[in-house]
Amino acid sequence: MLRHHYRCSLLLTGFLALLTSGLAWSVSPHSSTARTLTIQLDPATGTLEGELHQVISENHSFRLLEGLTATSARRGDTSLALTQDADGRWHLQADSDTESSEETVILRWQGTLPEAGNRHRVAIEGSYLPSRAGWYPHLSDAAGPLWLTINVPEGQLAVGSGSLLEEEYANGDGYRARFYHPHTREVEMAAGPWQLRERTVEGVQLRTLFPTALDQAFAETYLNHTADQLALFQARLGPLPYTSFSIAASPAPIGLAFPGFTLLGERVIPLPFIPTTSLPHELMHAWWGAGVNVDYPSGNWSEALTTYLADHTIAQQQGEDEPMRRRWLSDLAALPSSQDSALVDFRGGPDPAKRLVGYQHGALFFHMLRQRIGDEAFDQGLRTLADEWMHRTVDWQTLIDAFSEAAGEPQDAFFTPWLTSPGRPSLNLDAVQVTPHSDGYRVSGLLSQRGEHAPWPLDVPIEVDTEDGIISFVQPMDSQQQPFELSLASRPLTLEIDPSADVLRHPGPMPPILRQLTLDPTTQVLALDDAYHSLAQQLLGREAKLLQGSTGLQEEPRPPLLVIGTTTAIGEWRQDNGLPEPPQPLETAGEARFWMVPGQQPIGLLSGNDVEALAQLTASLRHHGQQSYVVQGADGQTAQAGVWATEESPLKVSFTARDVQ
């Protein structure tokens, strides 16, 4: 006798929640854009069987992955012609009868899915089938309601696009889950040998789908953090667009957000910082990107908004938002001008230079926007986007209009330069004077901004520390030069421009950091032993010019240089080339170490006591791009890390008693 376990409460409460919240749009399965998709997946054999119900009134073509075959198409009792051309594309000949053209077509296909690395994956340890990968027939670009049913064998669980409606466990017959999305073009699904944990938080069914070891060690941590983050985000943005949200593990090294779920790599989940970094970021994507859709041809705005509303908000809760902004500005300052691009040109992808613009530059832009129009107007703009544009496709202009309406005045003149001009300005402070007056003091000065595309519209924070406390001002700046004058009741002690790093700008004097090497495509490699070539290129993440010989310093001006070798070889090379010792004694510290040579054209030295130590440090340095030096101990743990000291900011001025006489 089979034991069945139904989650009917999800079917009732979840679907009713969709209806009453207005998120269901059209829920009729007979809508011209509605789809009912049923998938039977067997990861052990890689086989898939699918059935699609969709109203089709015209002839359609579609692709299926090699190994999959369309087996039948019917409209009512009528078989429809299916053919395959020489390019492997399938063609469905729809019945031209007007009366029958509004009836649902039932299309079936089956086969064995091919191996494809991380593009799509079907395996017992974890399956991942992204949208438009060819595992299902994509018959229309029109968005509409989706009912998705996934069947997997016993020992497997599955998750798919949309809100979970119900799930069924049957001994011997496997697992079945049904999902509903009110308005989508895309379909994604994943499966794995997962254990389920769940809890209901603020009307949302939160779920972890982890293999046993990860489930026991980390599932409760992830549920706790997700519950806190969901409450924080819903208070600001309104209800999550889905009645369920699942965090699923994948053997692939990915971190991806989809409607109603996220996939995180199994090696990533144990990292202690992920629950407060990647996890809130992927949850926030439920609103932006997996909720309000992105018009990619006109630019990807969702990563910038998600980074600001998730990463920056969580950092703000922890009192770490100012250091985060400073790190972002430092990263952007390390970006060579040849690699910089306009925010509107960002589409996505793995390129680190483009990601800096799309994520950090964009997030800092939204930070400036919030400070410009105020918290209330900024949050109202977010609510307008979420309420009026959920499950619809949005471009940058839609965001401009939403925030303009919320602010009560057009924001085009602020958005446009920051979207279309690559780079960021550098700020300068000149001609600062203090003048006593009968009612106190006047502080005056001249702000200027420089850069190839200057001026950008800015609201520059000015902070004055006086004998009676700190006073803050904001100076609007739309030109390359902007004089200012401040009235003070008590004697000023110091004046600082942008003291909390609120402005998207060059941060001023900065120490050399590893990211200067990894971001610059002209970086060269000098391996003092040929065995280290591959490690150097692993660190850079790309092929690089390999220098011959033992110096590498003849060329002037020199491109950035990475030198790698044993502890002894690097020490001898440094002395032979007249380079200074590091500012603190780390040249032989630990088992392996990296440091940037201070005050030089970017030169990074990577050394280790043996090949194993070098390889271990190289693998971990991708997490230390903002550091000037890193030392790793025998246990593989970071023993030291930091940045070299720099000169004091030229945007800060101190006043003596003589200055104010």
Side-chain angles (χ1 to χ4, degrees):
M1 180 176 179
L2 295 179
R3 177 177 62 85
H4 295 275
H5 173 45
Y6 295 91
R7 298 188 179 273
C8 296
S9 61
L10 282 176
L11 176 60
L12 295 174
T13 60
F15 196 60
L16 286 174
L18 284 170
L19 290 173
T20 56
S21 67
L23 295 178
W25 293 57
S26 169
V27 298
S28 169
H30 304 296
S31 163
S32 61
T33 56
R35 287 173 294 172
T36 299
L37 183 61
T38 302
I39 298 296
Q40 179 78 44
L41 184 68
D42 185 356
T45 61
T47 57
L48 178 148
E49 296 180 21
E51 181 174 292
L52 173 66
H53 293 228
Q54 186 170 347
V55 174
I56 300 172
S57 58
E58 300 175 350
N59 297 337
H60 281 274
S61 296
F62 57 90
R63 289 193 179 277
L64 290 175
L65 287 168
E66 183 180 355
L68 296 180
T69 301
T71 57
S72 69
R74 300 185 65 85
R75 178 183 280 130
D77 294 329
T78 304
S79 294
L80 303 180
L82 274 170
T83 58
Q84 187 178 22
D85 62 26
D87 294 329
R89 192 170 186 84
W90 293 86
H91 302 276
L92 172 62
Q93 187 72 34
D95 192 337
S96 60
D97 185 337
T98 303
E99 292 185 2
S100 65
S101 64
E102 295 304 317
E103 295 181 19
T104 299
V105 168
I106 302 175
L107 176 61
R108 295 186 176 93
W109 68 102
Q110 64 182 29
T112 302
L113 291 161
E115 294 290 334
N118 292 328
R119 288 190 292 115
H120 63 266
R121 181 187 183 101
V122 180
I124 293 177
E125 60 270 23
S127 301
Y128 162 53
L129 296 175
S131 179
R132 302 201 187 199
W135 59 274
Y136 70 95
H138 191 89
L139 297 180
S140 173
D141 278 332
L146 169 70
W147 283 262
L148 172 64
T149 300
I150 307 172
N151 300 278
V152 290
E154 190 170 11
Q156 295 270 313
L157 300 179
V159 65
S161 299
S163 299
L164 177 67
L165 295 181
E166 64 175 344
E167 55 186 349
E168 172 188 352
Y169 302 81
N171 285 345
D173 286 346
Y175 170 85
R176 175 182 297 115
R178 294 185 63 229
F179 301 86
Y180 172 74
H181 194 301
H183 197 75
T184 183
R185 298 180 181 88
E186 317 299 341
V187 186
E188 300 92 1
M189 61 168 282
W194 298 324
Q195 301 297 316
L196 168 65
R197 296 198 191 201
E198 58 187 344
R199 70 177 66 163
T200 300
V201 177
E202 297 201 350
V204 178
Q205 197 76 9
L206 298 180
R207 301 152 53 84
T208 54
L209 298 167
F210 292 173
T212 300
L214 291 178
D215 170 73
Q216 293 174 351
F218 302 107
E220 287 300 320
T221 296
Y222 274 77
L223 284 175
N224 291 337
H225 280 284
T226 308
D228 292 342
Q229 294 155 10
L230 177 68
L232 177 67
F233 296 164
Q234 288 198 143
R236 186 175 195 180
L237 303 172
L240 190 82
Y242 307 98
T243 59
S244 62
F245 184 78
S246 301
I247 306 118
S250 172
I254 56 178
L256 300 171
F258 303 104
F261 72 101
T262 181
L263 284 180
L264 297 178
E266 292 176 4
R267 294 186 178 181
V268 167
I269 288 171
L271 297 176
F273 53 85
I274 295 300
T276 56
T277 55
S278 296
L279 177 61
H281 187 97
E282 304 307 341
L283 177 61
M284 182 59 70
H285 268 310
W287 280 274
W288 318 115
V292 180
N293 299 317
V294 178
D295 181 38
Y296 285 96
S298 66
N300 180 354
W301 49 266
S302 72
E303 293 298 354
L305 191 58
T306 296
T307 300
Y308 184 56
L309 296 179
D311 305 53
H312 187 271
T313 295
I314 298 300
Q316 189 173 26
Q317 271 198 323
Q318 300 168 345
E320 293 294 323
D321 52 316
E322 180 183 330
M324 173 174 278
R325 293 193 297 273
R326 293 194 184 280
R327 290 195 301 271
W328 288 351
L329 291 175
S330 177
D331 283 346
L332 289 163
L335 189 61
S337 58
S338 62
Q339 297 300 104
D340 218 336
S341 58
L343 180 56
V344 74
D345 293 331
F346 176 67
R347 301 291 183 267
D351 181 83
K354 291 182 172 60
R355 288 172 67 88
L356 276 178
V357 174
Y359 288 67
Q360 283 93 322
H361 175 108
L364 286 166
F365 164 74
F366 280 114
H367 180 66
M368 291 196 302
L369 175 66
R370 181 174 68 84
Q371 297 208 316
R372 183 183 186 90
I373 67 176
D375 291 354
E376 184 177 351
F378 185 77
D379 285 357
Q380 181 55 51
L382 297 174
R383 285 291 190 116
T384 296
L385 289 167
D387 293 345
E388 298 182 7
W389 292 93
M390 189 58 64
H391 305 309
R392 300 165 66 188
T393 299
V394 161
D395 59 12
W396 274 106
Q397 187 59 51
T398 307
L399 270 71
I400 296 173
D401 294 342
F403 287 113
S404 296
E405 179 183 355
E409 59 182 0
Q411 296 298 315
D412 300 69
F414 180 69
F415 268 82
T416 300
W418 288 107
L419 293 184
T420 59
S421 298
R424 292 144 294 281
S426 60
L427 287 179
N428 296 274
L429 175 64
D430 299 296
V432 179
Q433 294 184 339
V434 181
T435 307
H437 277 256
S438 57
D439 57 350
Y441 299 86
R442 302 286 189 273
V443 178
S444 61
L446 181 66
L447 285 171
S448 60
Q449 56 170 298
R450 300 171 185 168
E452 182 180 353
H453 299 281
W456 285 267
L458 298 172
D459 293 295
V460 182
I462 304 176
E463 184 177 278
V464 183
D465 189 5
T466 74
E467 289 181 327
D468 292 335
I470 295 176
I471 302 176
S472 298
F473 304 86
V474 175
Q475 175 61 60
M477 186 178 188
D478 295 314
S479 57
Q480 288 185 302
Q481 292 192 327
Q482 177 65 56
F484 66 88
E485 184 174 280
L486 312 175
S487 297
L488 304 170
S490 57
R491 185 170 74 87
L493 305 176
T494 63
L495 177 147
E496 187 170 5
I497 303 300
D498 191 26
S500 299
D502 292 309
V503 174
L504 182 49
R505 61 179 176 87
H506 191 285
M510 59 174 288
I513 59 175
L514 170 59
R515 211 175 294 280
Q516 291 173 298
L517 302 181
T518 60
L519 289 174
D520 197 321
T522 68
T523 295
Q524 298 177 348
V525 170
L526 177 59
L528 301 183
D529 187 300
D530 290 344
Y532 304 140
H533 285 165
S534 61
L535 289 178
Q537 299 197 9
Q538 177 187 338
L539 173 58
L540 296 178
R542 62 178 184 276
E543 297 291 325
K545 180 180 178 181
L546 300 175
L547 297 181
Q548 302 298 320
S550 60
T551 60
L553 296 182
Q554 298 94 341
E555 185 177 346
E556 289 289 348
R558 292 190 305 273
L561 177 64
L562 171 63
V563 188
I564 181 170
T566 63
T567 303
T568 301
I570 287 291
E572 293 174 351
W573 183 90
R574 178 190 63 76
Q575 295 180 47
D576 291 344
N577 286 276
L579 297 179
E581 294 183 1
Q584 63 190 61
L586 56 76
E587 194 165 20
T588 59
E591 291 295 306
R593 75 291 305 164
F594 168 86
W595 79 94
M596 298 291 293
V597 178
Q600 302 283 329
Q601 186 79 11
I603 299 175
L605 305 181
L606 176 58
S607 67
N609 294 348
D610 52 43
V611 175
E612 289 74 22
L614 264 176
Q616 193 169 46
L617 177 58
T618 299
S620 66
L621 280 177
R622 66 181 183 275
H623 301 300
H624 294 285
Q626 293 157 330
Q627 306 293 354
S628 298
Y629 62 91
V630 179
V631 176
Q632 195 171 80
D635 57 359
Q637 299 299 309
T638 300
Q640 299 180 52
V643 294
W644 303 132
T646 59
E647 60 186 87
E648 189 173 351
S649 169
L651 297 180
K652 184 174 183 178
V653 177
S654 297
F655 304 113
T656 65
R658 180 179 299 178
D659 294 326
V660 297
Q661 291 178 351

